[in-house]
Amino acid sequence: MPSLHRPLVVVWVYLLLPGGRSSFYGFNNGFHYQDISNRNGNGEIYFNGIRLLVESPQSSVSGTRGSSVTLPCKYRYEPELTAPRRTRVKWSWLPANAITTAVSSDAFTTETEVMVAMGNRHRSYGGFRGRVRLRRSAPGDMSLVINELQLNDTGRYRCEVIDGLEDESVTVELELKGVVFPYYSKKGRYHFNFFAAHQACQDQEATLATVEQLFSAWEEGLDWCNAGWLADGTVQYPITVARHSCGGEDLAPGLRSYGQRHRFLNLYDAFCFSASTKGNVYFLKDQKKLNFTQAVQACVRDGSQIAKVGHLYAAWKLAGFDRCDAGWLADGSVRYPITKARLNCGPPQPGVRSFGFPPLHRKFGVYCYRQPFLENKK
């Protein structure tokens, strides 16, 4: 039996294999562990002093919808090896806005595979198929490049590098630049359970906001006294000015939380998150006001579609869209965006003004959304 000096770790392989028998006889990967089996059926593997390290210089990365983003991940050996090794990398993802029919939050902890790669071979999965690749700009670079970012791509990504028996990983959070807005039903306040809230946001080209996104919006001045669902199944609302009807005057400004609520039975509003789009939101200039049906048709005739609430909020927040004209949107609401407050355009603060859901026969202007491939070159 070879002489070893102070082995650091002993792993009995027969505990890991079916029937307790080692199939690692003669195994020596020249790296982390060395098999010193004495041929009696009990293989002992010792740590040889070389470590695999997986690191990321950034714990979080942000991008814009439709763009490309790189999640950094690099592995190295300590001390460095003189010859390259055959490693396997796996990227997995825990969505920020995971949706399940289960009421228990335990179902929200399962990670989804994004990509696996070994050498020059790789495979991507699900909605990431064809949109992801490894950067490989230098030895050990396993950074994940995601193209055509989508609203649902946000969450925690895990870069896992596997070499023999070694398995090390690091996580990177992906966020999208966007805007949080409160949203309620046409029927009035507090008509959404968790799943209806998720669908309502999705219908408006948005997703349920995360706690972090709502907190950032509160820091930027969002004040809303109606409670709404968030992506983690909690119900909260942001208050910048404490008052009696919004949790009490004695409480400090911040996020008021009801905690986890029953996803089927409890009804609240929703806080939605919309990111920038490649399309163009504009107010359709027309000689006359339009009812809702006429507004929808007018956008179609102009080579567009009637804008959704998420479109308008993203254009206001991220593109500085400013228009003091009330206009129909796809959900039957009437709103207008103000970035520079002025006389006869509502409150002094910037924001998207809302007339709620007026009768569909009423006449207003209309906001249209034109996708990039429909834009006319002038």
Side-chain angles (χ1 to χ4, degrees), residues 65-243:
R65 187 179 181 189
S67 67
S68 297
V69 68
T70 300
L71 308 183
C73 174
K74 184 175 182 180
Y75 76 91
R76 62 185 175 88
Y77 301 114
E78 198 174 82
E80 294 184 7
L81 298 179
T82 56
R85 292 192 51 79
R86 188 173 180 82
T87 58
R88 176 174 178 264
V89 62
K90 180 175 78 171
W91 276 94
S92 55
W93 167 59
L94 183 66
N97 293 347
I99 299 299
T100 178
T101 57
V103 175
S104 171
S105 61
D106 294 341
F108 281 69
T109 60
T110 303
E111 292 184 342
T112 300
E113 286 190 338
V114 174
M115 164 181 272
V116 293
M118 178 179 285
N120 294 325
R121 301 178 63 185
H122 66 273
R123 177 181 294 175
S124 54
Y125 299 91
F128 293 98
R129 191 185 301 273
R131 291 199 297 128
V132 293
R133 63 179 177 85
L134 296 181
R135 184 171 61 182
R136 298 187 185 273
S137 62
D141 183 12
M142 294 296 175
S143 301
L144 183 71
V145 179
I146 307 177
N147 297 315
E148 291 294 326
L149 275 181
Q150 300 175 3
L151 276 174
N152 290 325
D153 287 344
T154 56
R156 185 188 70 198
Y157 289 76
R158 181 182 302 278
C159 174
E160 183 179 10
V161 179
I162 304 166
D163 186 329
L165 296 180
E166 281 291 280
D167 181 348
E168 299 292 336
S169 67
V170 68
T171 61
V172 182
E173 297 284 340
L174 173 61
E175 302 174 347
L176 285 182
K177 297 176 182 177
V179 56
V180 173
F181 60 92
Y183 192 78
Y184 57 90
S185 168
K186 295 179 181 179
K187 300 177 183 178
R189 180 185 180 200
Y190 295 173
H191 279 273
F192 298 140
N193 67 16
F194 175 77
F195 302 100
H198 164 70
Q199 186 62 51
C201 290
Q202 193 172 64
D203 290 343
Q204 297 309 312
E205 201 68 17
T207 61
L208 274 176
T210 65
V211 176
E212 294 77 13
Q213 288 166 346
L214 184 63
F215 183 80
S216 296
W218 169 76
E219 288 184 313
E220 295 175 0
L222 179 60
D223 184 284
W224 194 258
C225 198
N226 290 348
W229 289 103
L230 296 178
D232 63 351
T234 62
V235 173
Q236 307 191 36
Y237 61 99
I239 295 298
T240 58
V241 180
R243 48 202 186 273

